[in-house]
Amino acid sequence: MQRNSKSTAAAAKRGPIVLVGMMGVGKSTVGRRLAARLGLAFVDADEEIEKAAGMTVTDIFERFGEAHFRDGERRVIARLMDGEPKVIATGGGAFMQPDTRALILDQATAIWLDADIDILVDRVSRREGRPLLKGKDPRVVLTELAAVRNPVYALAPIHVKSIAAPHEVAVERILEQLPAWQ
């Protein structure tokens, strides 16, 4: 568990808590459990994008491309940033988009869930429907993505390392860094 230079108390705003990080790190699972522990609503941004588009994330990528998906993702996340306390799990690439990242950092408490590549590879192999992995070696893709994305994810004021343990461990680590919410 690491803390960024900003104080955690200052980072904890009473608006949304937004989980960012690589695919497979457990943002949705940890987010649901964190929301339950805090008595807040949980929203999965990818599910909201699918509802708004009337198709799956995979179908959006295949039919319209990543740029179109990212534009819809930005609009959905902007709608979710309504100031109401809730836990939001974002897709792995959401925080990479400058406008989306600026909105999250300004209006929410951003938490970077991080994990080692071995853990990510194991977790993504359990679930289909990850467009960026389609037909590719997950270890190679995740390693390349991590090299580019981790420095950007590190802009989140709270950093929690997810390990090969029950997701409840990550929830506890987050709660340790959210004193304003307890």
Side-chain angles (χ1 to χ4, degrees):
M1 173 172 48
Q2 299 173 348
R3 293 175 192 248
N4 284 348
S5 58
K6 292 182 185 178
S7 80
T8 302
K13 302 167 185 154
R14 260 324 236 177
I17 295 171
V18 179
L19 302 179
V20 302
M22 294 285 288
M23 69 178 90
V25 78
K27 297 178 300 286
S28 295
T29 304
V30 169
R32 280 185 185 87
R33 293 175 184 191
L34 178 63
R37 289 280 298 274
L38 294 171
L40 298 175
F42 171 76
V43 182
D44 184 301
D46 282 350
E47 290 175 6
E48 292 298 310
I49 292 162
E50 290 179 342
K51 285 181 202 172
M55 61 179 63
T56 67
V57 168
T58 300
D59 289 343
I60 297 167
F61 264 78
E62 287 177 1
R63 190 165 177 195
F64 300 107
E66 185 175 359
H68 180 83
F69 171 79
R70 296 295 173 207
D71 182 56
E73 178 181 60
R74 178 190 51 76
R75 287 183 278 121
V76 166
I77 291 173
R79 177 175 48 83
L80 296 173
M81 291 290 139
D82 58 7
E84 290 298 314
K86 65 176 78 83
V87 176
I88 302 169
T90 62
F95 202 66
M96 298 306 296
Q97 307 307 308
D99 292 346
T100 302
R101 181 174 57 252
L103 183 66
I104 291 169
L105 291 173
D106 182 55
Q107 297 184 19
T109 299
I111 299 171
W112 173 25
L113 280 182
D114 185 18
D116 293 331
I117 295 296
D118 289 338
I119 292 171
L120 297 175
V121 170
D122 179 57
R123 290 178 181 169
V124 300
S125 68
R126 298 181 207 161
R127 191 176 130 211
E128 294 292 320
R130 298 190 186 270
L132 295 179
L133 297 179
K134 190 170 183 176
K136 299 176 183 166
D137 180 337
R139 180 172 303 280
V140 171
V141 173
L142 291 167
T143 300
E144 290 171 355
L145 286 174
V148 172
R149 291 179 175 185
N150 286 355
V152 177
Y153 293 147
L155 297 172
I158 298 173
H159 177 188
V160 172
K161 191 81 166 177
S162 179
I163 59 173
H167 287 298
E168 195 61 35
V169 172
V171 172
E172 288 297 327
R173 290 177 169 191
I174 292 169
L175 290 172
E176 289 170 6
Q177 294 195 54
L178 284 177
W181 285 88
Q182 298 180 12

